[in-house]
Amino acid sequence: MEISAHSRELARDLLNFIDASPSPWHAVQTTADRLLHAGFVALRESERWQLAAGGRYFVIRGGASIVAFVMGRDNLDTCGFRLVGAHTDSPGLRIKPKALQGGDSLLRLGVEVYGGPILASFADRDLSLAGRVAVRDGNGVDMRLVHFAQPLLRLPNLAIHMNREVNENGLKFNKQTELPLLLGFGGDGAPEDGRFHSLLATRLAVAPDAILSWELAICDTQPGSFWGMEQEFVADSQLDNLASCHAGLTALLGAESPATTNVCAFFDHEEVGSESAAGAGGSFIADVLRRIAGNAGLDDEGFRCALANSFFISTDMAHAYHPNFPAAYEPAHRVAVNGGPVIKTNANQRYSTGAASAARFIRLCERAGVPWQQYAHRSDLGCGSTIGPIIAAGLGVASVDVGSPMWAMHSIRESAGVVDHGCMIAALGAAFSD
Ligand SMILES: [Zn+2]
């Protein structure tokens, strides 16, 4: 397989992006940093916007959702928006508010399962913590990112001598009793939450009583890697769906002064159904688009025309064919790693793709000079879903669901193809100059 230096460079940049983004809040910060570096202006939802023709902006809601956009040269009502969406969150483990558990001379952290991770993949890994902490700041509250880069936590397996059937029955954890993570030695008295506050406070260089609350995710400490005989694959945490965020962002930054008004929208809470103020089911995207339209001089009638002329590409990862498990796949719709972007179709509208939107995406791939593939789930298996149908329903826009092929979706260590990532960026780049 021929892997161009450009593909390799884009995949390397993806791994750097993920490694700088151990939590969804960090992913938004990493995205914002890149946007600022490229000259985008940060907006606040709580202030009036004065958007200039050709201007480049972004706005964050809830810390882990972000919309970035470039005001196009063409009339917005007749050309509409070019939208690329993805999600910033990944399934995994989250720390409960009163997390510390004592007893048996060991300290453990109680966790809650977020979304649908493969829990067994968290065992025996060098885990740590990342997220955001609310810190007392004078009379107000400061939201601070926190990340422990060194291994801090662990979920040791039970030895096979006490779990003889593990290779026959699979590795199972009771979510309440068997998932708390080992944090260190502790006294046998009732655990003091203060010790966990102190851990966070030391890291943030504040007093322990300044810590008010937090949203913290378990993260992996192993950096992303290339693997395979020709290093044609990548492995990292959160490829679902930071690979799509990175692809959308890279395409947006690549279209420097576009004719169309280009928008990237990356949402939190996809893994738990998107129904939140910052999620794809909330008002965030509609609010931002309405404000862009107003600033572009459109009245409500013009805004409706703009939506009707818009195209939304929902990018989320796709299930690549795994040769060890042929029975898991629809035989006619196997998609290959490094075979190019995947168009996902489901008649029951778990994906938003229709004939017209699929055709439009195929034309974009043709223009970008990249191959494309088509995926449908087995008819006797429940199909996953993503933000595509939710956004399509909320905005009433033409929409397609696509993604790069990957293995081990929702494992803490997922893998995908080097070539696919560059292909997806090229296809989204074509959409942003459509
Ligand atoms: Zn996803």
Side-chain angles (χ1 to χ4, degrees):
M1 169 164 292
E2 190 67 39
I3 299 176
S4 70
H6 187 55
S7 289
R8 175 80 58 202
E9 203 177 296
L10 290 169
R12 180 67 260 169
D13 193 54
L14 166 63
L15 299 182
N16 293 346
F17 179 84
I18 293 177
D19 293 341
S21 308
S23 79
W25 305 277
H26 286 83
V28 161
Q29 186 61 56
T30 307
T31 303
D33 288 345
R34 288 188 172 206
L35 290 165
L36 287 168
H37 184 74
F40 280 61
V41 175
L43 300 168
R44 288 175 189 273
E45 285 197 276
S46 55
E47 294 168 0
R48 288 186 163 273
W49 294 0
Q50 303 269 327
L51 309 179
R56 290 139 60 92
Y57 306 93
F58 70 90
V59 57
I60 294 169
R61 183 183 283 190
S65 294
I66 184 167
V67 178
F69 57 93
V70 180
M71 305 290 281
R73 295 190 309 275
D74 288 350
N75 289 337
L76 183 56
D77 50 349
T78 53
C79 292
F81 300 96
R82 297 295 171 274
L83 300 146
V84 168
H87 64 90
T88 57
D89 60 324
S90 294
L93 303 174
R94 298 288 172 86
I95 303 301
K96 291 179 178 177
K98 296 169 75 171
L100 210 58
Q101 302 178 4
D104 306 311
S105 302
L106 286 167
L107 288 176
R108 295 180 296 162
L109 275 186
V111 291
E112 193 173 359
V113 177
Y114 178 83
I118 300 174
L119 291 174
S121 68
F122 285 70
D124 297 332
R125 292 197 69 86
D126 297 340
L127 302 175
S128 197
L129 272 181
R132 65 175 188 161
V133 180
V135 175
R136 213 184 289 277
D137 181 22
N139 291 328
V141 172
D142 188 21
M143 297 306 298
R144 303 266 298 270
L145 291 181
V146 67
H147 176 214
F148 294 85
Q150 300 303 315
L152 181 71
L153 296 155
R154 197 164 199 90
L155 178 62
N157 245 302
L158 188 59
I160 197 163
H161 313 81
M162 283 89 104
N163 192 13
R164 291 278 184 198
E165 307 296 314
V166 62
N167 293 325
E168 286 66 43
N169 296 341
L171 183 55
K172 296 173 188 164
F173 292 96
N174 177 288
K175 293 179 179 133
Q176 172 63 30
T177 58
E178 295 172 347
L179 275 186
L181 304 171
L182 296 185
L183 176 65
F185 276 113
D188 274 329
E192 294 174 52
D193 282 323
R195 287 190 66 184
F196 188 58
H197 285 227
S198 295
L199 178 75
L200 295 175
T202 305
R203 185 79 202 162
L204 291 167
V206 298
D209 68 357
I211 307 286
L212 295 172
S213 58
W214 58 72
E215 292 165 293
L216 292 169
I218 298 304
C219 61
D220 200 359
T221 55
Q222 184 181 359
S225 59
F226 289 93
W227 62 279
M229 208 152 79
E230 295 175 59
Q231 303 283 282
E232 63 269 58
F233 308 117
V234 290
D236 210 341
S237 67
Q238 307 173 96
L239 283 168
D240 174 14
N241 193 20
L242 295 188
S244 301
C245 293
H246 179 267
L249 175 65
T250 305
L252 185 77
L253 295 177
E256 283 211 347
S257 60
T260 50
T261 294
N262 296 336
V263 183
C264 271
F266 305 147
F267 299 97
D268 195 8
H269 297 150
E270 188 273 346
E271 298 292 353
V272 292
S274 297
E275 211 55 55
S276 71
S283 65
F284 189 29
I285 185 64
D287 289 345
V288 172
L289 297 186
R290 195 172 290 121
R291 293 175 81 161
I292 294 174
N295 269 270
L298 300 189
D299 59 8
D300 192 58
E301 181 75 1
F303 178 52
R304 302 289 152 190
C305 293
L307 289 180
N309 287 314
S310 295
F311 188 51
F312 177 56
I313 302 177
S314 162
T315 51
D316 202 348
M317 302 303 273
H319 299 298
Y321 179 68
H322 188 326
N324 295 8
F325 303 96
Y329 298 86
E330 212 297 313
H333 296 85
R334 293 173 174 178
V335 300
V337 169
N338 287 330
V342 177
I343 302 166
K344 302 188 261 185
T345 305
N346 179 262
N348 294 293
Q349 296 302 300
R350 304 289 287 163
Y351 298 129
S352 64
T353 310
S357 61
R360 187 162 175 174
F361 188 78
I362 290 168
R363 297 290 300 273
L364 293 175
C365 289
E366 287 174 350
R367 263 188 38 211
V370 300
W372 50 274
Q373 314 180 72
Q374 282 188 303
Y375 182 81
H377 213 54
R378 281 186 70 92
S379 302
D380 53 5
L381 271 184
C383 183
S385 190
T386 182
I387 62 168
I390 295 167
I391 297 283
L395 296 178
V397 290
S399 175
V400 64
D401 268 285
V402 305
S404 292
M406 71 176 296
W407 289 303
M409 188 179 287
H410 292 193
S411 165
I412 197 170
R413 190 81 179 167
E414 301 169 324
S415 47
V418 170
V419 174
D420 290 324
H421 193 60
C423 290
M424 181 58 82
I425 291 168
L428 299 180
F432 283 147
S433 57
D434 186 19

Coordinates of all heavy atoms in Angstrom, one line a residue, residues 313-363:
I313 N -23.0 17.4 6.7 CA -22.3 16.1 6.7 C -22.0 15.7 8.1 O -21.2 16.4 8.8 CB -20.9 16.2 5.9 CG1 -21.2 16.7 4.5 CG2 -20.2 14.9 5.9 CD1 -19.9 16.9 3.7
S314 N -22.7 14.7 8.6 CA -22.5 14.2 9.9 C -21.4 13.1 9.9 O -21.5 12.1 9.2 CB -23.8 13.6 10.4 OG -23.6 12.7 11.5
T315 N -20.2 13.5 10.5 CA -19.1 12.6 10.5 C -18.9 11.8 11.8 O -18.7 12.5 12.8 CB -17.8 13.3 10.1 OG1 -17.7 14.4 11.0 CG2 -17.8 13.8 8.7
D316 N -19.0 10.5 11.7 CA -18.7 9.7 12.9 C -18.1 8.4 12.4 O -18.3 8.0 11.2 CB -20.1 9.5 13.6 CG -19.9 9.1 15.1 OD1 -18.8 8.8 15.5 OD2 -20.9 9.0 15.8
M317 N -17.4 7.7 13.2 CA -16.6 6.6 12.7 C -17.5 5.4 12.3 O -18.7 5.3 12.7 CB -15.6 6.1 13.8 CG -14.7 7.2 14.2 SD -13.7 7.9 12.8 CE -12.3 6.8 12.8
A318 N -17.0 4.6 11.4 CA -17.8 3.4 10.8 C -17.1 2.1 11.2 O -15.9 2.1 11.5 CB -17.8 3.6 9.3
H319 N -17.9 1.0 11.2 CA -17.3 -0.3 11.6 C -16.6 -0.9 10.4 O -17.2 -1.4 9.5 CB -18.4 -1.2 12.1 CG -19.2 -0.7 13.2 ND1 -18.6 -0.4 14.5 CD2 -20.5 -0.3 13.4 CE1 -19.5 0.0 15.3 NE2 -20.6 0.1 14.7
A320 N -15.3 -1.0 10.5 CA -14.5 -1.7 9.5 C -14.7 -3.2 9.6 O -14.8 -3.7 10.7 CB -13.0 -1.3 9.6
Y321 N -14.5 -3.9 8.5 CA -14.6 -5.4 8.5 C -13.5 -6.0 9.3 O -12.3 -5.6 9.1 CB -14.6 -5.9 7.1 CG -14.7 -7.4 7.0 CD1 -15.8 -8.1 7.4 CD2 -13.6 -8.1 6.6 CE1 -15.9 -9.5 7.3 CE2 -13.6 -9.5 6.5 CZ -14.8 -10.2 6.9 OH -14.8 -11.5 6.8
H322 N -13.8 -6.9 10.2 CA -12.8 -7.6 11.0 C -12.8 -9.1 10.6 O -13.7 -9.8 10.8 CB -13.2 -7.4 12.5 CG -12.1 -7.9 13.5 ND1 -11.3 -9.0 13.2 CD2 -11.8 -7.4 14.7 CE1 -10.5 -9.1 14.3 NE2 -10.8 -8.2 15.2
P323 N -11.7 -9.5 10.0 CA -11.7 -10.8 9.4 C -11.8 -12.0 10.4 O -12.2 -13.1 10.0 CB -10.3 -10.9 8.7 CG -9.5 -9.9 9.4 CD -10.4 -8.8 9.8
N324 N -11.6 -11.7 11.7 CA -11.8 -12.8 12.7 C -13.3 -13.0 13.0 O -13.6 -14.0 13.7 CB -11.1 -12.4 14.0 CG -9.6 -12.4 13.8 OD1 -9.1 -12.5 12.7 ND2 -8.9 -12.2 14.9
F325 N -14.1 -12.0 12.6 CA -15.5 -12.1 13.0 C -16.4 -11.8 11.8 O -17.2 -10.9 11.8 CB -15.8 -11.1 14.1 CG -15.0 -11.2 15.3 CD1 -13.8 -10.4 15.5 CD2 -15.3 -12.1 16.3 CE1 -13.1 -10.6 16.6 CE2 -14.6 -12.2 17.5 CZ -13.4 -11.5 17.6
P326 N -16.3 -12.7 10.8 CA -17.0 -12.4 9.5 C -18.6 -12.4 9.7 O -19.3 -11.6 9.1 CB -16.6 -13.5 8.6 CG -16.0 -14.6 9.4 CD -15.4 -13.8 10.6
A327 N -19.0 -13.2 10.7 CA -20.5 -13.3 10.9 C -21.1 -12.0 11.5 O -22.3 -11.9 11.5 CB -20.8 -14.5 11.9
A328 N -20.3 -11.1 12.0 CA -20.8 -9.9 12.5 C -21.2 -8.8 11.5 O -21.9 -7.8 11.8 CB -19.7 -9.2 13.5
Y329 N -20.9 -9.1 10.2 CA -21.0 -8.1 9.2 C -22.0 -8.5 8.1 O -22.2 -9.6 7.8 CB -19.7 -7.8 8.5 CG -18.7 -7.2 9.5 CD1 -17.9 -8.1 10.3 CD2 -18.5 -5.9 9.7 CE1 -17.0 -7.6 11.2 CE2 -17.6 -5.4 10.7 CZ -16.9 -6.3 11.4 OH -16.0 -5.8 12.3
E330 N -22.7 -7.5 7.5 CA -23.5 -7.6 6.4 C -22.6 -7.9 5.2 O -21.7 -7.1 4.8 CB -24.3 -6.3 6.1 CG -25.6 -6.4 5.6 CD -25.7 -7.0 4.2 OE1 -24.9 -6.6 3.3 OE2 -26.5 -7.9 3.9
P331 N -22.7 -9.1 4.6 CA -21.7 -9.6 3.6 C -21.5 -8.6 2.4 O -20.4 -8.5 2.0 CB -22.2 -10.9 3.2 CG -23.2 -11.4 4.2 CD -23.7 -10.2 4.8
A332 N -22.6 -8.0 2.0 CA -22.4 -7.1 0.8 C -21.9 -5.7 1.2 O -21.7 -4.9 0.3 CB -23.8 -7.0 0.1
H333 N -21.8 -5.4 2.5 CA -21.5 -4.0 2.9 C -20.3 -4.0 3.8 O -20.3 -3.3 4.8 CB -22.7 -3.4 3.6 CG -23.8 -3.2 2.7 ND1 -24.8 -4.1 2.4 CD2 -24.2 -2.1 1.9 CE1 -25.7 -3.7 1.6 NE2 -25.3 -2.5 1.2
R334 N -19.3 -4.9 3.6 CA -18.1 -4.9 4.3 C -17.3 -3.6 3.9 O -17.1 -3.4 2.7 CB -17.3 -6.1 4.0 CG -17.9 -7.4 4.5 CD -17.1 -8.6 4.0 NE -17.6 -9.8 4.6 CZ -17.1 -11.0 4.3 NH1 -16.1 -11.1 3.5 NH2 -17.6 -12.1 4.9
V335 N -16.8 -2.9 4.9 CA -15.9 -1.7 4.5 C -14.5 -2.0 5.0 O -14.3 -2.6 6.1 CB -16.5 -0.4 5.0 CG1 -17.9 -0.1 4.4 CG2 -16.6 -0.3 6.5
A336 N -13.6 -1.5 4.2 CA -12.2 -1.9 4.5 C -11.4 -0.7 5.1 O -11.6 0.5 4.7 CB -11.5 -2.2 3.2
V337 N -10.6 -0.9 6.1 CA -9.7 0.1 6.6 C -8.7 0.5 5.4 O -8.3 -0.4 4.7 CB -8.9 -0.4 7.8 CG1 -7.7 0.5 8.2 CG2 -9.8 -0.6 9.0
N338 N -8.5 1.8 5.3 CA -7.8 2.4 4.2 C -8.4 2.2 2.8 O -7.8 2.3 1.8 CB -6.3 1.8 4.2 CG -5.5 2.4 5.3 OD1 -5.8 3.5 5.7 ND2 -4.5 1.7 5.8
G339 N -9.8 2.0 2.9 CA -10.6 1.9 1.6 C -11.3 3.2 1.4 O -12.1 3.3 0.4
G340 N -11.2 4.2 2.2 CA -11.8 5.5 2.0 C -13.0 5.8 2.8 O -13.5 4.9 3.5
P341 N -13.6 7.0 2.8 CA -14.7 7.4 3.6 C -15.9 6.4 3.3 O -16.1 6.0 2.2 CB -15.1 8.8 3.1 CG -13.8 9.3 2.6 CD -13.0 8.2 2.0
V342 N -16.7 6.2 4.4 CA -17.8 5.3 4.4 C -19.1 6.1 4.5 O -19.3 7.0 5.3 CB -17.7 4.4 5.6 CG1 -19.0 3.5 5.6 CG2 -16.4 3.6 5.6
I343 N -20.0 5.8 3.5 CA -21.4 6.4 3.6 C -22.3 5.4 4.3 O -22.4 4.3 3.9 CB -21.9 6.7 2.2 CG1 -20.9 7.6 1.4 CG2 -23.3 7.3 2.2 CD1 -21.2 7.7 -0.1
K344 N -22.9 5.9 5.4 CA -23.7 5.0 6.2 C -25.2 5.1 5.9 O -25.7 6.3 6.0 CB -23.4 5.2 7.7 CG -21.9 5.1 8.1 CD -21.7 5.2 9.5 CE -21.3 6.6 10.0 NZ -20.9 6.7 11.4
T345 N -25.9 4.0 5.7 CA -27.3 4.1 5.3 C -28.1 3.2 6.2 O -27.6 2.1 6.5 CB -27.5 3.7 3.8 OG1 -26.6 4.5 3.0 CG2 -28.9 3.8 3.4
N346 N -29.2 3.6 6.6 CA -30.2 2.8 7.4 C -31.6 3.2 7.1 O -31.9 4.4 7.3 CB -29.8 3.0 8.9 CG -30.8 2.2 9.8 OD1 -31.8 2.7 10.3 ND2 -30.5 0.9 10.0
A347 N -32.4 2.3 6.6 CA -33.7 2.7 6.2 C -34.6 3.2 7.3 O -35.5 3.9 7.1 CB -34.4 1.4 5.5
N348 N -34.2 2.7 8.6 CA -35.0 3.2 9.7 C -34.5 4.5 10.3 O -34.9 4.8 11.4 CB -35.0 2.1 10.8 CG -35.7 0.8 10.3 OD1 -36.9 0.8 10.2 ND2 -34.9 -0.3 10.1
Q349 N -33.7 5.2 9.5 CA -33.3 6.5 9.9 C -32.4 6.6 11.1 O -32.4 7.6 11.9 CB -34.5 7.5 10.0 CG -35.2 7.7 8.7 CD -34.3 8.2 7.5 OE1 -33.7 9.3 7.6 NE2 -34.1 7.4 6.5
R350 N -31.7 5.5 11.4 CA -30.7 5.6 12.4 C -29.5 6.5 11.9 O -28.7 7.0 12.6 CB -30.1 4.3 12.8 CG -31.2 3.3 13.3 CD -31.8 3.7 14.7 NE -30.9 3.4 15.7 CZ -30.9 3.9 17.0 NH1 -31.9 4.7 17.2 NH2 -30.1 3.5 17.9
Y351 N -29.4 6.5 10.6 CA -28.5 7.4 9.9 C -29.4 8.3 9.0 O -30.4 7.9 8.5 CB -27.5 6.7 9.0 CG -26.6 5.8 9.8 CD1 -26.4 4.4 9.5 CD2 -25.9 6.3 10.9 CE1 -25.6 3.6 10.2 CE2 -25.1 5.4 11.7 CZ -24.9 4.1 11.3 OH -24.1 3.3 12.1
S352 N -28.9 9.6 8.8 CA -29.7 10.5 8.0 C -29.6 10.4 6.5 O -30.3 11.1 5.8 CB -29.3 11.9 8.5 OG -28.0 12.2 8.1
T353 N -28.7 9.6 6.1 CA -28.4 9.5 4.6 C -29.7 9.1 3.8 O -30.4 8.2 4.2 CB -27.4 8.4 4.4 OG1 -26.3 8.6 5.3 CG2 -26.9 8.3 3.0
G354 N -29.9 9.8 2.7 CA -30.9 9.4 1.7 C -30.2 9.3 0.3 O -29.0 9.6 0.2
A355 N -30.9 9.0 -0.7 CA -30.3 8.8 -2.0 C -29.6 10.1 -2.5 O -28.5 10.1 -3.0 CB -31.3 8.3 -3.0
A356 N -30.4 11.2 -2.3 CA -29.8 12.5 -2.8 C -28.6 12.9 -2.0 O -27.6 13.4 -2.6 CB -30.9 13.6 -2.7
S357 N -28.6 12.8 -0.7 CA -27.5 13.2 0.1 C -26.3 12.3 -0.1 O -25.1 12.7 -0.1 CB -27.8 13.4 1.6 OG -28.2 12.2 2.1
A358 N -26.5 11.0 -0.3 CA -25.4 10.0 -0.6 C -24.8 10.4 -1.9 O -23.6 10.4 -2.0 CB -26.0 8.6 -0.6
A359 N -25.6 10.7 -2.9 CA -25.1 11.1 -4.2 C -24.3 12.3 -4.1 O -23.2 12.4 -4.8 CB -26.3 11.3 -5.2
R360 N -24.7 13.3 -3.3 CA -24.0 14.5 -3.2 C -22.6 14.2 -2.6 O -21.6 14.8 -3.0 CB -24.8 15.5 -2.4 CG -24.1 16.9 -2.3 CD -25.1 17.9 -1.9 NE -24.5 19.2 -1.8 CZ -25.1 20.3 -1.5 NH1 -26.5 20.3 -1.4 NH2 -24.5 21.5 -1.4
F361 N -22.6 13.4 -1.6 CA -21.3 13.1 -0.9 C -20.4 12.3 -1.9 O -19.1 12.5 -1.9 CB -21.5 12.3 0.4 CG -20.2 12.1 1.1 CD1 -19.7 13.2 1.9 CD2 -19.5 10.9 1.1 CE1 -18.5 13.0 2.6 CE2 -18.3 10.8 1.8 CZ -17.8 11.8 2.5
I362 N -21.0 11.4 -2.7 CA -20.2 10.7 -3.7 C -19.5 11.6 -4.7 O -18.3 11.5 -5.0 CB -21.0 9.6 -4.4 CG1 -21.4 8.5 -3.5 CG2 -20.3 9.1 -5.7 CD1 -22.5 7.6 -4.0
R363 N -20.3 12.6 -5.1 CA -19.7 13.6 -6.0 C -18.6 14.4 -5.3 O -17.6 14.7 -6.0 CB -20.8 14.6 -6.4 CG -21.9 14.0 -7.2 CD -21.5 13.5 -8.6 NE -21.0 14.7 -9.4 CZ -21.7 15.4 -10.2 NH1 -23.0 15.2 -10.3 NH2 -21.2 16.4 -10.9

